[in-house]
Amino acid sequence: MYDYSLVFAQDLYNYAGRIPDPYNTPGRYSLWGVLYLWQGLPIWAHRLWNIVLLTLPSFVLAWALTRKLSDFILRNASFLWITAFFILLAPLHPPFMIVAIIVALFAFHPSPYVRGASLVAASLYAGISRWTWVFAPGAWGALIDLLLYYPKREGHWFKRLLPTILMAVLGAAPGFLSNIGNFLGYTSGEVTTAQQPLLWYRLLPNLTLGPGIVLLILLTTGPLVALLLYKIFSRQWKLDGFQQAAILGALTGFLAIGLVISTKIGGGGDLHNLDMYIGTLIVVIMLGLTGQPALSESKSPAWTLAALCFFALLPVYQFTPFFPSAAYHSRLDIPAQEDTDKALIQIRAAVEETAALGEVLFMDQRQLLTFGYMPKIPFVAEYEKKYMMDQAMASNEIYFQPYYQDLANQRFALIVTEPLKMDLKNEGGIFSEENDLWVTWVSAPTLCFYEPVMTDKSVGVQLLVPRKDLIGCENICNRCLLNFKYLIPRIARRFLPERIVRFLLLRSLVIQPGLETRDPQAAVQRYVDILTERGDSLAGKRVMVFGYGGRFDIGVGLLESGADSVVLCEKYAPPDDSHNRTLLPQYEAHLLLSGQLVRPRNERITLLEADIRDVKSADLAPVDLIISNSVYEHLDDVEGITRALAALTKPSGLHIHFVDLRDHFFKYPFEMLAYSKQTWYRWLNPSSNHNRYRVWEYRRVFESSFHNVELTVLQRNKTEFEKARPRIRPEFISGNLEDDTVELIRVVAARPKIS
């Protein structure tokens, strides 16, 4: 109830400034929060309003969808069934129901302008309620037009379809445009969503939701889908190809979206993430029944009647003696009044006592402040339980670092929370992954610095105060150290447009290029020296430069040093035409002018601008030598690319790769190892990609593709490693200091393993 007060009643809190809505969903919050316009209403009035919102929209939507059914029995039976379905069997979020009501109320209005206006209103409301709903009004508007109005139009098919397309745009574009930041992934809500893992097993039977999402949605809507398909393919509903494609496309699309969203951690406990699919299915069925003959005139087979009976009984089944949990519901499990009163007295006394000593954080139970059960103490807006849970499920390390700093500084004199547990379920219980992430990111760090002085499980409240003796909190303290000198440029580099990156790289401004670009002759000589040490040379060899960087210097340098032919391989960087043009006067034997561009002469130099994993030995003659410098650390598929390169190498061939394991913000060579996978790839990983492989991983990769591997460490940095070590994540530490401190390596691999 605290959340819903943020739209109309921020003055209830002793807070300077405006309390932010972390989810930016004023449509959802204002629906419940409208009662806060009448300040002073007791909490029971808001709870009653919650019940109204959970039930009344189902009645209104059922009436709006069934009011045009001609058969009295069918109309009333459908009304009762839809109402029971949405209240009892598949409760959907009230804001979503409001969106559907806005569309359904005007679905049968003869004016396309009125229908279009209603779709715009529905789309805007969906957009400010939950951005993932914005396409539903457009789909419904298109289906309504296709099934009710399109058949009455005459003329060319495109002319008949044009109003349908316009309805779809009116129903989708406003909500989409108002949420473009979410779709492009640069607003906070989308960032959190993108970082949260998908738990695909929840589609199947599991402990969180017994039958699993797939089986439950089949039980809930399967017979209705079968009835729909029967009506379509038996031609009882005479639909053309456009109508059939729209129906099946909308249903399958929303079903797929709902199934994917249901696997996101935090979901999979019910069917509410399939709301667009369920809503669309019922809209289509009701539109199809409009104008159909009376039940007494229907010639449907007996199985359709059985399906209808199944659907009629399904919503009430859970209230029959046959349902295993018919005698219990979690909403009935409420504490006794005397327990509630006792807990309120204890909480209020603790708040009054500690408020003079420091800040009081209501991580949970903020409604006690909303309705005046607590004194009007200075309000701490940060660290609200639901939002912290979202960040924990995303393993958002950056979000939690200020929290850990506040814990370490013992900023709060008192924390009011739900009882915190330290037990890990390890994928062995209901919502086990969510529990374990909450323990890891919230419970364990909080209980390290704070200790309980009161725990009341009957009302779900725990009071925490600072610990006097801190033991074993060093690792958490290390998480508190934010290196802003590193983070700010790293985040800027992460989101810097690639064209600017390329401009800076080629001019050695801020971003330093590799040796092939800085000093190509030195790069060639380095490979020549290694071959000489092995009693070999470039003479007569076919050489591939893997990741040459766009400048042809390295290619012509290899040819001038004795190589027979060169393959310049580069997937990402295009040829640097302005630089390569300066090479033409000196290397006309190897380069030519093609229009305004300088290109290699194909008989000596070959350009390969493709993903090496897609290149087959039949398409490219095998090579004697493959070389690279500071390329491997940027690969997104080290194993797959190494196998592909090995497959293009002659049995007697050789690989020479120089790999830089440092963070390429070279001032902090090991800082990148301090961040989780989610944080690194979402916020800090540069557009050039840095895979953060360590020396033992490169050793494993090359040994899996070559019989002979010589891995030489060229540089270690124990001093910088020790500085960063307290923050480095355990997956990047082997325990062997000789391996952990490696910065530069050279890999010489021979005798490829050809499968």
Side-chain angles (χ1 to χ4, degrees), residues 587-623:
Y587 298 110
E588 286 187 344
H590 307 304
L591 305 174
L592 57 83
L593 190 64
S594 176
Q596 297 297 316
L597 306 178
V598 175
R599 289 293 180 264
R601 295 187 183 274
N602 291 332
E603 60 268 22
R604 298 297 304 278
I605 303 179
T606 302
L607 277 186
L608 182 60
E609 298 173 313
D611 190 324
I612 199 68
R613 292 166 294 187
D614 298 331
V615 179
K616 307 301 179 186
S617 56
D619 304 323
L620 184 72
V623 297

Side-chain angles (χ1 to χ4, degrees), residues 578-592 598:
S578 61
H579 173 81
N580 292 334
R581 196 173 291 112
T582 65
L583 304 177
L584 187 59
Q586 184 178 357
Y587 298 110
E588 286 187 344
H590 307 304
L591 305 174
L592 57 83
V598 175

Side-chain angles (χ1 to χ4, degrees), residues 1-10 12-13 29 33 36 370:
M1 292 186 179
Y2 152 76
D3 313 62
Y4 307 137
S5 69
L6 296 182
V7 179
F8 300 118
Q10 294 223 352
L12 292 174
Y13 308 98
Y29 281 9
Y36 288 100
T370 305

Side-chain angles (χ1 to χ4, degrees), residues 93-238:
H93 287 309
F96 181 81
M97 300 292 286
I98 299 298
V99 173
I101 287 170
I102 295 172
V103 175
L105 283 176
F106 299 95
F108 302 101
H109 198 283
S111 171
Y113 301 104
V114 173
R115 296 199 306 274
S118 72
L119 293 175
V120 170
S123 180
L124 289 173
Y125 184 72
I128 62 173
S129 298
R130 185 174 180 180
W131 65 272
T132 54
W133 292 337
V134 298
F135 294 113
W140 297 338
L143 289 170
I144 290 167
D145 190 80
L146 272 175
L147 295 176
L148 298 182
Y149 304 100
Y150 162 82
K152 302 174 184 178
R153 300 188 193 113
E154 297 179 354
H156 190 269
W157 64 267
F158 183 75
K159 181 180 178 182
R160 297 173 64 203
L161 274 181
L162 186 58
T164 303
I165 297 171
L166 291 175
M167 291 297 172
V169 172
L170 289 173
F176 173 79
L177 293 175
S178 66
N179 284 274
I180 192 138
N182 284 316
F183 286 99
L184 295 180
Y186 57 76
T187 59
S188 60
E190 169 61 12
V191 167
T192 301
T193 301
Q195 291 178 330
Q196 293 176 344
L198 302 179
L199 307 176
W200 294 102
Y201 77 88
R202 290 191 180 171
L203 295 176
L204 304 176
N206 61 86
L207 292 174
T208 299
L209 181 66
I213 293 293
V214 172
L215 182 57
L216 188 58
I217 197 63
L218 283 176
L219 287 172
T220 305
T221 65
L224 202 57
V225 172
L227 180 63
L228 173 64
L229 294 176
Y230 170 76
K231 290 286 189 180
I232 292 175
F233 292 111
S234 68
R235 305 296 295 171
Q236 291 188 28
W237 291 352
K238 295 179 174 58

